Amino acid sequence: MATINDNYLKLKAGYLFPEIARRVNAFAEANPTAAIIKLGIGDVTEPLPAACRAAMVAAVEDMGDRDRFRGYGPEQGYLWLREKIAQHDFQARGCQIDPSEIFISDGSKCDCGNILDIFGNTNSIAVTDPVYPVYVDTNVMAGHTGPVNDRGEYGQLVYLPIQAENNFTARIPDQPVDLIYLCFPNNPTGAVASRAHLQAWVNYARAHGSIIFFDAAYEAFITDPELPHSIYEIEGARDCAIEFRSFSKNAGFTGTRCAFTVVPQSLQGKAADGSAVSIHSLWNRRQSTKFNGVSYIVQRGAEAVYSAAGQEQIQALISFYMENARIIREHLSAAGLQVYGGVNAPYVWVRTPDGISSWDFFDKLLHNCHVVGTPGSGFGAAGEGYFRISAFNSRQNVLEAMARITT
Ligand code: MLT
């Protein structure tokens, strides 16, 4: 009989969001008239920007024309998109990122998991707690962890607790770690990192030969002009960091699928014989072998994000969701709840009232208010006693959800 990857058996029962969906579906079946409002998974609700739609329609027409038709594109993505990204997202902020260092993909979640293909199996790996569960689960699948304990922590991972007292930023570890996952603006807490905090991480990584996986999927939601949007705004980061970016949340591409990973040419890892190897060339090799690129049509849609009209339209989308975040923050604070985040991030992180558990609060909101959020404990043991509310929904639903929760 064919054997399986036993590492999958170490995974906790279900991925967080399918587990939420399972509970919500069961409730909806038992209560068919309940008008459920979902502020759980961070999925966008507003239509795609007109500039992106027009570009994709034009690209469909290209595909219907013998002279403009495209077959396989470059596995790394079309140069015209990579150039725009390099220029607008990095060079304009003083980061020396070249288009050749950008790899277009169909999503940051996929990239975060796929990147492990090119790293060894004996690295020590640090994650914050709470954390976006994909970082942990993909390492479990790759066999980088021991079994899970009663607190839901996997052996061999280094957990860095993040708490309100330290603004939900992690303390730099005492021991050396090889791979470090950082996410700012943070999912799930909505916290942000100052330049000084990121500089401390970059210094640590350079001192220990570590690599930082920097997830910047929510950078567009930063409103404070002092905050860095990219790890490459930090001196020395080109030698120690990979950055993940996405069009999902800023341009509403969760269903359209387009993202990118930045791997500087100067980034190196160590081979078993001790020699230094270019991470960029390994990732290029991996992508060229296992990936055929994002569709031409979608890449044209992503390119339109950088047009004048596209920039204006995505700003309107971002402001719309951030106004939702403000409404959520204000209503919940006025109701006496302790809230964090939601100022430079589309997530509001709420302390559950009266010390009730995250899942009990989830059930209470679902049953009493017909509102869905995400239990903090689903993001890690240190998320127990917290609850995440996503600002991704229509204004009407956000107002209605707040009215139900606070009255
Ligand atoms: C979330 O709700 O945490 C996000 O939607 C997850 C994701 O983007 O994959």
Side-chain angles (χ1 to χ4, degrees):
M1 186 185 276
T3 61
I4 55 137
N5 177 351
D6 277 86
N7 295 311
Y8 277 64
L9 305 181
K10 287 187 213 156
L11 290 165
K12 282 179 279 174
Y15 182 59
L16 175 61
F17 295 108
E19 171 58 20
I20 290 173
R22 193 188 63 72
R23 291 191 187 212
V24 173
N25 291 342
F27 177 80
E29 251 174 54
N31 302 274
T33 56
I36 298 170
I37 299 177
K38 295 182 181 170
L39 303 176
I41 191 164
D43 193 6
V44 294
T45 53
E46 303 309 297
L48 284 176
C52 301
R53 294 200 312 267
M56 286 193 275
V57 168
V60 169
E61 291 305 322
D62 288 345
M63 296 300 264
D65 181 284
R66 173 163 296 282
D67 295 330
R68 303 199 309 268
F69 170 81
R70 317 266 178 138
Y72 289 124
E75 294 92 349
Q76 302 80 0
Y78 285 102
L79 189 58
W80 34 259
L81 176 55
R82 303 162 87 198
E83 280 174 346
K84 297 245 167 41
I85 292 170
Q87 193 188 331
H88 289 261
D89 287 338
F90 297 100
Q91 292 159 10
R93 303 195 67 84
C95 312
Q96 294 319 307
I97 294 296
D98 187 78
S100 66
E101 298 176 316
I102 293 165
F103 294 82
I104 310 296
S105 76
D106 61 348
S108 274
K109 178 158 116 176
C110 325
D111 285 346
C112 286
N114 293 338
I115 199 79
L116 296 177
D117 270 12
I118 63 167
F119 287 94
N121 289 325
T122 56
N123 288 310
S124 57
I125 296 159
V127 293
T128 62
D129 179 8
V131 71
Y132 178 42
V134 169
Y135 311 151
V136 171
D137 286 5
T138 53
N139 275 290
V140 176
M141 291 170 176
H144 297 165
T145 72
V148 70
N149 68 16
D150 293 346
R151 282 171 53 83
E153 295 162 335
Y154 288 92
Q156 290 164 42
L157 286 185
V158 176
Y159 286 93
L160 308 172
I162 54 174
Q163 279 141 357
E165 301 77 64
N166 53 8
N167 294 322
F168 299 101
T169 54
R171 201 166 59 81
I172 309 278
D174 302 324
Q175 79 255 56
V177 289
D178 303 309
L179 300 175
I180 303 150
Y181 288 85
L182 295 180
C183 173
F184 289 111
N186 187 250
N187 180 12
T189 65
V192 289
S194 67
R195 270 170 214 284
H197 181 69
L198 292 186
Q199 188 69 65
W201 274 113
V202 166
N203 294 347
Y204 169 90
R206 293 183 78 197
H208 293 91
S210 332
I211 291 183
I212 297 170
F213 293 157
F214 191 75
D215 184 347
Y218 299 95
E219 61 77 32
F221 296 86
I222 292 176
T223 51
D224 180 344
E226 294 302 314
L227 294 171
H229 287 236
S230 165
I231 188 89
Y232 303 115
E233 290 178 54
I234 307 303
E235 200 188 328
R238 281 186 55 87
D239 297 331
C240 65
I242 291 173
E243 183 162 306
F244 301 100
R245 289 275 189 113
S246 172
F247 293 100
S248 282
K249 311 292 160 95
N250 63 347
F253 272 45
T254 53
T256 306
R257 310 306 305 150
C258 199
F260 58 94
T261 290
V262 185
V263 187
Q265 303 268 7
S266 46
L267 191 64
Q268 296 192 320
K270 195 171 69 175
D273 67 3
S275 59
V277 176
S278 157
I279 297 291
H280 181 277
S281 59
L282 292 187
W283 183 242
N284 191 42
R285 184 72 172 83
R286 190 261 172 218
Q287 290 298 82
S288 315
T289 304
K290 291 196 177 181
F291 187 55
N292 260 333
V294 174
S295 84
Y296 168 70
I297 297 160
V298 167
Q299 290 192 64
R300 281 293 187 205
E303 182 193 25
V305 162
Y306 298 100
S307 65
Q311 286 291 295
E312 206 174 289
Q313 290 159 12
I314 69 161
Q315 260 324 310
L317 271 181
I318 292 161
S319 304
F320 175 83
Y321 291 126
M322 290 312 290
E323 175 63 7
N324 283 350
R326 190 192 64 74
I327 292 169
I328 295 168
R329 275 181 64 89
E330 289 196 354
H331 277 76
L332 298 183
S333 302
L337 290 166
Q338 182 72 53
V339 299
Y340 304 93
V343 177
N344 292 288
Y347 295 124
V348 178
W349 188 240
V350 187
R351 196 94 180 87
T352 60
D354 309 320
I356 72 172
S357 80
S358 300
W359 276 110
D360 284 350
F361 192 62
F362 172 90
D363 286 332
K364 193 170 161 183
L365 277 196
L366 178 60
H367 288 260
N368 298 352
C369 310
H370 307 165
V371 172
V372 179
T374 309
S377 56
F379 298 100
E384 181 55 273
Y386 286 93
F387 198 73
R388 192 191 76 175
I389 305 220
S390 157
F392 293 110
N393 213 311
S394 67
R395 182 64 39 77
Q396 194 190 345
N397 276 351
V398 166
L399 288 169
E400 171 66 20
M402 290 305 109
R404 289 187 200 167
I405 294 174
T406 56
T407 49

